[in-house]
Amino acid sequence: MHQLCKATDIAAGSAKGFEVEAHALFVVNQGGDFFAYLNNCPHRGIRLEWQPDQFLDYERNFIQCATHGALFSVENGECIAGPCPGEKLTALACTLKDGQLWVELPKVTS
Ligand code: FES
């Protein structure tokens, strides 16, 4: 597990991007629950955001890809609208411990 930041660094209804050991990822705080995903849109395999830490749609209900507007469920990363319906963001295990957020990085296979 890798320590990311304090839980209070990500306000409810917002998200934050990180670079950890060559992995781009982001964490969403939805009402005090934290969800982590690789920053990689399943449509084209590129990053989701154009602006730093802007991963959510206008109403902050969904994760949104800035390139073609795909919307993803915050809870499970599934695309529910846009060009890749049914495809999923890669979820990462995210744990809150002593006020700190920890994330499990994917295993690197070579
Ligand atoms: S690259 Fe994300 S919706 Fe097309």
Side-chain angles (χ1 to χ4, degrees):
M1 296 288 271
H2 292 259
Q3 188 173 353
L4 290 178
C5 65
K6 290 188 270 185
T8 51
D9 291 341
I10 309 176
S14 72
K16 191 170 177 60
F18 299 89
E19 308 278 338
V20 184
E21 292 185 5
H23 295 286
L25 56 106
F26 65 99
V27 177
V28 181
N29 177 347
Q30 189 180 61
D33 292 325
F34 293 90
F35 300 90
Y37 295 98
L38 287 182
N39 184 359
N40 188 338
C41 181
H43 180 219
R44 289 281 168 83
I46 59 176
R47 292 186 183 213
L48 292 148
E49 86 283 32
W50 278 347
Q51 303 284 333
D53 301 331
Q54 298 297 310
F55 292 94
L56 301 179
D57 71 332
Y58 182 73
E59 294 178 333
R60 299 164 184 243
N61 291 327
F62 298 98
I63 296 161
Q64 184 169 40
C65 180
T67 301
H68 306 111
L71 294 176
F72 302 89
S73 160
V74 172
E75 290 86 354
N76 64 20
E78 183 170 339
C79 179
I80 51 93
C84 49
E87 294 194 54
K88 282 190 159 189
L89 299 170
T90 302
L92 303 172
C94 186
T95 305
L96 178 59
K97 189 175 167 195
D98 297 330
Q100 300 283 329
L101 284 173
W102 298 74
V103 72
E104 186 91 45
L105 295 177
K107 301 268 183 291
V108 176
T109 53
S110 57

